[in-house]
Amino acid sequence: MLLPPFYFDRIVTKLVLLISLVVAVLIGILMTDFILARQTENMVINLIDRDIPRLIGNEELSRKLGRLSDDIHLMLIHSTVKDYRLESEIERLIPVLNDIVSSTVPEMTLKQELKDFSISVTDLFNHCMTINKLKQRIQSDEKNFIVGINTLEGSVMNLLIDRKLRGREYELSSLEQISALITDLRNLVLQIKILVSESERTYISGADAGKTNQEQILSMLSDIESGLTTATTAGNELLSIGEALIDQAHDYKADLSIFYEHLEALETKISLLENRQSAVKKTMAATGKEIEEKTGKTRKAVLENLRIFGSIMVLSSLLILALLILTGIIGLKIARPIQELTDSAMGIAAGNLDKEIQIGGNDEVGILSRSFAGMRDAIKEKIEDLAEKNKALSREILERKRIEDALRKSENKYRVLLENLPQKIFHKDTTSVYVSANESYCRDLKIHPENIIGKTDYDFFPKQIAEKYIADDKRIMASGKAEEIEEKYVLGKQEFTINTIKTPIKNDKGEITGVLGIFWDITHTKQLERQLAQSQKMEAIGTLAGGIAHDFNNILSAIIGYAELSQMITLPENKISDYLSKILMAGGRAKDLVQQILTFSRQTEHERKPLSVKLIAKEALKLLRASLPSTIDVFEDIGSDSLVMGDPTQIHQILMNLCTNAGHAMQKTGGTLKVSLKDVVFDPDDVAPYPDLKTGTYLNLTVSDTGYGIAPDILERIFDPFFTTKGKGEGTGLGLAVVHGIVKNYGGMISVSSEPGKGASFEVFFPVVDTRPESVQTMAAAMLPGGTERILLADDEPALVEVGKHLLESLGYNVTATTSPEKALEIFKAHPGQFDLVITDMTMPHMTGDLLALNLFSIRPDIPVMLITGFSSEINEKKAKELGIKGFLTKPIIKSELAALVRTILDEAGDKNPD
């Protein structure tokens, strides 16, 4: 069948012929590739079916064996760590071991070696479990032994206290020896524990120190048994405890001996396991070498086939390249008229209607080009008509864009200004409906700024507060004047104090169209203002207290001194002696009152040390119980043993003040007094309202009562000095002020909660410390120490000079006294070697005591000086010691305190100067 002549002019015909040629060439190349690939495939299949599975199995087995070996090694190392879960690790490794043994291995030798290896591993696991159980027994023995030691220590301490209280000093020697032995026993147990752990690691690592550690441990246990024999000979009270401890030490020693026997066996089993693992690895290495030789031969044959395949591929590539060049030439011939037509069409689309289309021919491209020419002429006429209309429209659009850009810039400028202000800003209309608000305000309300439009205060706040806000809006819009308001602001469950400025908004005609509000949080500022006012009040009272302390202490010194001198010359059976005792008792109370005032004003320093509040609380409650009416029940919940850094007297003072106030509140009606002691932990959120409080653990002392409670107006003033609701003669108003001063000085906090008629609860928080307190030994009362040394005494108060001279002379000393510091300096200059001690007052006219001491040191550097002061803000005991002053005493002077300090200073000076 003949095809029409125009058939070969069609683009489709040309493309069909070109595609047919490409397909024929590709089929030829694919057939050649298929034949060559089949030949190579047959060769590779032989290699894969025969040797590769063996090689893969060998490698996989080697990896599993290596991982298992590493896991066993890590298990042995970690087994020495406390609380290591050995059983769960062995349960994990047993399936891995079974998987290795059950692996498909054709060689009989390797199967037998794997079986032997499995037996060694299982034996090692069982032995490790046995050692683990022994360790648990040893830990139990050690724990029981420590408990026994603690029991022994408690019994010894109780016996020591009992013997001292009964005055049986001759029995204390053996008890003190046992008490000293307890610390050695604990140290030996700790050393044994360390050596056992070290021995276990040594045996596992293969070192040689395990045997030495074993001998050292057994020697320590023998020492323990020998030392415990002392406890069995110290009396019937300790006999049973000592014998039980000896039995426990014997069990401990026996279990450790068994433990070391198993460790030696473990070392042998580890060595056997390593030998069997090495045998398995050698057999696997031989198998791998055999497979490697066979694989090399197959590789050589495959490479030969690949060279042939590569030659064929080169020829195929050249053929494909030639075909591609031919295809490109034919494609260019077909594409050229299409490209010209495309350029013409793009020119028309771009508005170039003047370009002529000169493509002829009878194919599809020729027909299409003639159609484009007619369409171009029609479009050209339409475009010319639209051009004029577009010019006018463009001018109008440009003007509108300019206006819109100006408005957008203005809006963005004010929006950025409002959004970056930290204050909360809102805008409401005349009905108090929100028109807009800044991001800061919307963030508090948890709403997007766009979604607040149309909302009211009822949507965000409680009804009562919302009504108050809306009433403020109406009042401000009615008055036309801005107002500044301090008010409450509720956000979630929290209440804040805010400062708000609201102002009416007016339009161009002066009409009010809404209200603008700005507010910010002043809660923290208010708290700081209250704290500052309280601090200034306390500082003023402190200044007053410090001012009167010096003179008052001088007066007390004279009263107490003359009373003690009078008592020395009065017979005990004389009634005057009883009167003098009462004078001294009143003087002591006056002294304590001055100390309370100075403590409140933070003008005195107390020696602080770690102490147990629990013991002080129990002692205070025993004393308090006798003074409370029987209608008041005392309930104690004292469970914390935590320590605080403080002074025992001050802690006792806090307890007595709080409990006495609680008892007074229930004096008429009766009730329950509850005292509790527990630990609490403060995190950053808890201490945020209290700038002086730090995070950490605090000891919480709570004293609560069921009395008449405290009214709100009184609650704010209870810590003010001299404020009291008690009747005349019933209270000084200093109790709670002193408590407040002590607690603040300790870095703690005190709070109170109360409702009228429902009682009151005081909570005190002390920072907890970790340091254990030093043991306190009870000192037996002794006679006042005296001497025959020569003392120079200087004080500007004649009465105090007289009292001091008589007190010192009554103790046997030779005293030279003067009321003038200048006179004292002249006396000392005349005879610097005549005196053994100089005692001087601090505050004296023309020359203070510290300046007098420096002048004395310039004459004789080794002269001991003791400084006495009623009160001074310029010096304390620490500063005095820095100046070289050997003793520091505060007025009023008690004879026993003076005698003890003078004797101590003179004895220390005598030790340094034996000549």
Side-chain angles (χ1 to χ4, degrees):
M1 176 181 175
L2 296 176
L3 296 173
F6 62 86
Y7 180 81
F8 292 98
D9 293 334
R10 297 177 63 182
I11 295 176
V12 175
T13 304
K14 298 175 183 177
L15 291 176
V16 168
L17 291 175
L18 183 60
I19 291 171
S20 299
L21 179 61
V22 173
V23 170
V25 172
L26 290 176
I27 289 174
I29 294 172
L30 289 174
M31 290 299 294
T32 304
D33 290 346
F34 177 76
I35 293 170
L36 292 173
R38 288 296 298 173
Q39 292 178 355
T40 305
E41 179 183 0
N42 291 332
M43 298 176 66
V44 173
I45 285 174
N46 292 332
L47 175 64
I48 293 174
D49 290 342
R50 186 176 65 251
D51 293 325
I52 294 300
R54 292 177 62 200
L55 184 61
I56 293 174
N58 193 48
E59 291 295 328
E60 183 178 1
L61 181 61
S62 177
R63 287 195 300 273
K64 289 181 179 179
L65 187 63
R67 285 197 297 269
L68 178 61
S69 177
D70 292 340
D71 289 343
I72 292 173
H73 183 66
L74 289 174
M75 180 199 74
L76 291 173
I77 294 174
H78 290 164
S79 64
T80 63
V81 180
K82 184 179 180 182
D83 298 331
Y84 179 67
R85 298 181 178 178
L86 181 63
E87 293 181 2
S88 59
E89 181 64 12
I90 290 178
E91 289 176 359
R92 182 182 72 83
L93 295 179
I94 287 296
V96 177
L97 176 63
N98 293 337
D99 181 52
I100 292 175
V101 176
S102 61
S103 300
T104 303
V105 180
E107 290 80 4
M108 294 302 297
T109 302
L110 185 55
K111 283 185 177 180
Q112 183 58 42
E113 289 173 347
L114 286 175
K115 185 176 180 181
D116 294 341
F117 175 74
S118 174
I119 293 172
S120 296
V121 173
T122 306
D123 185 34
L124 179 65
F125 285 169
N126 294 333
H127 197 74
C128 287
M129 291 295 293
T130 302
I131 290 177
N132 193 44
K133 292 178 181 178
L134 278 173
K135 285 170 62 179
Q136 293 175 1
R137 281 173 52 188
I138 290 170
Q139 290 172 359
S140 177
D141 292 340
E142 177 186 301
K143 183 178 180 181
N144 293 334
F145 190 68
I146 291 299
V147 171
I149 289 175
N150 292 337
T151 303
L152 177 61
E153 182 179 28
S155 300
V156 170
M157 292 304 295
N158 291 332
L159 289 174
L160 278 172
I161 295 172
D162 179 68
R163 297 302 186 266
K164 288 182 179 180
L165 292 176
R166 295 185 181 182
R168 295 163 64 179
E169 302 291 338
Y170 59 87
E171 296 183 12
L172 295 181
S173 176
S174 61
L175 292 175
E176 289 174 350
Q177 181 181 0
I178 295 172
S179 178
L181 174 65
I182 289 173
T183 302
D184 296 336
L185 291 180
R186 285 200 178 98
N187 290 334
L188 285 174
V189 171
L190 178 60
Q191 292 177 25
I192 290 172
K193 185 176 181 180
I194 294 171
L195 288 174
V196 168
S197 177
E198 181 182 349
S199 297
E200 188 176 0
R201 291 192 296 271
T202 301
Y203 274 107
I204 290 174
S205 63
D208 297 330
K211 188 67 176 178
T212 303
N213 291 343
Q214 179 184 2
E215 294 174 354
Q216 188 176 356
I217 288 171
L218 294 178
S219 175
M220 289 179 179
L221 286 170
S222 298
D223 292 342
I224 290 175
E225 290 176 345
S226 176
L228 288 173
T229 306
T230 307
T232 62
T233 61
N236 294 330
E237 296 90 341
L238 301 180
L239 177 60
S240 59
I241 299 175
E243 290 176 347
L245 277 173
I246 291 174
D247 292 340
Q248 290 174 358
H250 181 71
D251 295 340
Y252 192 16
K253 182 177 181 180
D255 288 340
L256 282 173
S257 298
I258 298 172
F259 177 69
Y260 270 95
E261 292 174 1
H262 280 76
L263 283 181
E264 291 176 358
L266 176 64
E267 186 176 18
T268 304
K269 292 179 185 297
I270 292 173
S271 177
L272 178 60
L273 177 63
E274 291 175 350
N275 293 335
R276 289 185 172 176
Q277 182 178 348
S278 298
V280 172
K281 288 184 177 180
K282 289 179 181 178
T283 303
M284 292 172 63
T287 303
K289 185 175 182 181
E290 178 188 351
I291 295 173
E292 183 180 359
E293 292 175 355
K294 293 181 180 179
T295 304
K297 294 178 181 179
T298 305
R299 176 177 175 276
K300 184 176 180 181
V302 170
L303 288 176
E304 187 65 28
N305 288 340
L306 289 176
R307 290 191 190 95
I308 299 172
F309 179 76
S311 301
I312 295 174
M313 290 303 297
V314 170
L315 295 175
S316 300
S317 299
L318 293 175
L319 180 60
I320 291 173
L321 180 62
L323 182 60
L324 289 175
I325 293 172
L326 179 61
T327 302
I329 294 172
I330 298 173
L332 287 173
K333 187 173 181 181
I334 296 173
R336 184 178 293 110
I338 297 176
Q339 182 64 44
E340 291 180 359
L341 179 60
T342 302
D343 292 341
S344 299
M346 291 177 64
I348 293 173
N352 184 11
L353 301 177
D354 297 328
K355 185 176 180 180
E356 295 293 335
I357 301 175
Q358 300 178 352
I359 300 175
N362 296 321
D363 57 9
E364 293 90 336
V365 178
I367 297 171
L368 188 61
S369 62
R370 289 190 289 274
S371 300
F372 261 102
M375 184 172 56
R376 181 202 60 187
D377 296 337
I379 292 173
K380 186 174 181 180
E381 293 178 1
K382 294 290 184 179
I383 289 175
E384 289 175 353
D385 181 50
L386 291 173
E388 292 299 325
K389 296 180 180 179
N390 286 339
K391 290 180 181 179
L393 183 60
S394 297
R395 288 191 293 271
E396 182 179 351
I397 292 173
L398 288 174
E399 182 63 22
R400 287 185 179 181
K401 285 185 176 180
R402 186 186 64 79
I403 295 172
E404 289 176 357
D405 289 342
L407 289 173
R408 186 163 49 253
K409 290 178 181 179
S410 176
E411 181 181 355
N412 288 339
K413 179 174 67 176
Y414 290 105
R415 171 58 60 182
V416 170
L417 178 63
L418 291 177
E419 293 301 339
N420 285 278
L421 286 174
Q423 289 80 8
K424 326 292 183 181
I425 303 174
F426 59 84
H427 174 203
K428 300 179 185 177
D429 62 14
T430 53
T431 61
S432 290
V433 174
Y434 283 99
V435 177
S436 64
N438 70 344
E439 181 70 27
S440 179
Y441 184 58
C442 293
R443 191 183 306 115
D444 285 354
L445 302 182
K446 297 180 179 179
I447 190 171
H448 193 274
E450 295 179 357
N451 297 332
I452 200 173
I453 301 172
K455 304 286 185 180
T456 67
D457 289 326
Y458 290 108
D459 296 316
F460 307 112
F461 304 103
K463 181 180 178 182
Q464 184 177 0
I465 295 177
E467 289 176 349
K468 193 266 181 187
Y469 290 165
I470 293 173
D472 291 342
D473 296 341
K474 291 180 179 179
R475 183 182 68 254
I476 291 168
M477 287 187 286
S479 66
K481 296 180 180 179
E483 290 186 15
E484 184 172 355
I485 308 168
E486 184 179 306
E487 55 190 346
K488 299 297 181 182
Y489 177 62
V490 179
L491 182 61
K493 295 183 179 180
Q494 289 185 300
E495 184 177 278
F496 303 90
T497 303
I498 61 172
N499 196 54
T500 305
I501 298 177
K502 289 186 177 181
T503 182
I505 300 176
K506 299 179 180 180
N507 58 15
D508 297 339
K509 299 179 181 179
E511 299 171 345
I512 295 176
T513 61
V515 62
L516 177 68
I518 303 175
F519 69 91
W520 55 94
D521 185 6
I522 60 171
T523 306
H524 185 62
T525 303
K526 287 294 181 182
Q527 290 177 346
L528 292 178
E529 289 176 355
R530 288 194 292 270
Q531 291 178 4
L532 178 60
Q534 181 67 16
S535 176
Q536 290 173 342
K537 185 188 301 182
M538 302 296 281
E539 183 179 356
I541 298 299
T543 303
L544 174 63
I548 67 173
H550 179 267
D551 293 338
F552 194 45
N553 276 331
N554 281 338
I555 296 171
L556 282 177
S557 294
I559 293 172
I560 294 173
Y562 281 122
E564 287 186 332
L565 289 174
S566 299
Q567 199 172 40
M568 290 166 55
I569 61 175
T570 305
L571 295 177
E573 61 271 12
N574 194 326
K575 196 170 184 178
I576 295 176
S577 178
D578 183 48
Y579 294 158
L580 291 172
S581 297
K582 291 182 179 179
I583 292 174
L584 290 173
M585 185 182 299
R589 290 178 181 174
K591 178 182 178 181
D592 292 340
L593 179 61
V594 174
Q595 291 302 317
Q596 284 187 3
I597 295 173
L598 293 178
T599 299
F600 154 73
S601 64
R602 296 183 182 178
Q603 298 291 343
T604 60
E605 295 184 0
H606 290 264
E607 179 184 1
R608 297 187 195 174
K609 59 184 177 181
L611 55 88
S612 173
V613 179
K614 179 177 180 179
L615 300 177
I616 299 174
K618 287 184 176 293
E619 178 186 354
L621 289 176
K622 287 180 182 178
L623 296 174
L624 189 70
R625 176 68 271 182
S627 64
L628 292 175
S630 59
T631 56
I632 298 177
D633 295 326
V634 178
F635 177 74
E636 61 180 69
D637 181 15
I638 302 174
S640 174
D641 292 314
S642 296
L643 306 180
V644 302
M645 187 68 73
D647 179 82
T649 303
Q650 291 183 327
I651 299 296
H652 190 275
Q653 189 175 15
I654 291 173
L655 280 160
M656 294 302 292
N657 273 323
L658 294 180
C659 293
T660 301
N661 287 345
H664 185 272
M666 300 182 289
Q667 190 172 12
K668 296 181 179 179
T669 60
T672 301
L673 170 63
K674 182 178 180 181
V675 179
S676 66
L677 204 62
K678 62 183 179 181
D679 291 335
V680 296
V681 178
F682 284 169
D683 56 28
D685 293 336
D686 297 326
V687 302
Y690 311 102
D692 297 333
L693 214 58
K694 300 179 181 179
T695 58
T697 304
Y698 285 77
L699 184 64
N700 175 214
L701 169 65
T702 303
V703 178
S704 58
D705 63 75
T706 57
Y708 47 72
I710 306 173
D713 56 331
I714 297 176
L715 199 62
E716 297 180 356
R717 301 181 58 195
I718 59 173
F719 295 114
D720 290 351
F722 305 110
F723 174 78
T724 179
T725 59
K726 298 178 182 178
K728 186 175 181 181
E730 295 182 358
T732 62
L734 284 176
L736 289 179
V738 169
V739 170
H740 183 275
I742 294 173
V743 173
K744 287 292 183 182
N745 201 24
Y746 283 5
M749 179 186 72
I750 181 171
S751 65
V752 57
S753 59
S754 177
E755 292 184 24
K758 295 185 179 181
S761 178
F762 285 81
E763 287 192 277
V764 181
F765 298 91
F766 297 106
V768 170
V769 297
D770 295 330
T771 309
R772 303 305 303 175
E774 297 179 357
S775 60
V776 179
Q777 298 182 353
T778 304
M779 300 289 293
M783 297 295 293
L784 293 180
T788 59
E789 287 85 353
R790 296 154 297 179
I791 299 175
L792 175 62
L793 174 64
D795 195 312
D796 62 320
E797 291 283 343
L800 297 183
V801 170
E802 182 181 359
V803 169
K805 187 174 185 298
H806 287 314
L807 286 176
L808 291 170
E809 287 177 344
S810 69
L811 296 172
Y813 297 108
N814 296 313
V815 182
T816 301
T818 178
T819 58
S820 169
E822 295 91 343
K823 182 66 175 177
L825 186 58
E826 290 177 4
I827 295 172
F828 189 80
K829 281 182 179 179
H831 305 284
Q834 181 178 342
F835 298 100
D836 300 300
L837 173 66
V838 177
I839 301 176
T840 176
D841 185 29
M842 174 61 190
T843 306
M844 295 184 293
H846 309 300
M847 186 185 299
T848 58
D850 56 344
L851 184 57
L852 174 59
L854 293 176
N855 287 323
L856 296 175
F857 293 151
S858 65
I859 300 170
R860 182 181 156 191
D862 64 332
I863 182 67
V865 176
M866 185 171 79
L867 188 66
I868 300 177
T869 178
F871 168 75
S872 174
S873 60
E874 301 297 327
I875 195 166
N876 53 30
E877 186 172 2
K878 181 179 178 182
K879 292 180 180 178
K881 288 184 177 180
E882 291 175 354
L883 293 174
I885 295 171
K886 301 301 180 183
F888 186 86
L889 204 60
T890 58
K891 297 178 182 178
I893 303 302
I894 307 299
K895 182 179 179 181
S896 58
E897 296 176 355
L898 178 64
L901 185 57
V902 168
R903 188 66 262 159
T904 300
I905 296 173
L906 290 173
D907 289 344
E908 290 179 354
D911 292 340
K912 293 180 180 178
N913 301 287
D915 295 337

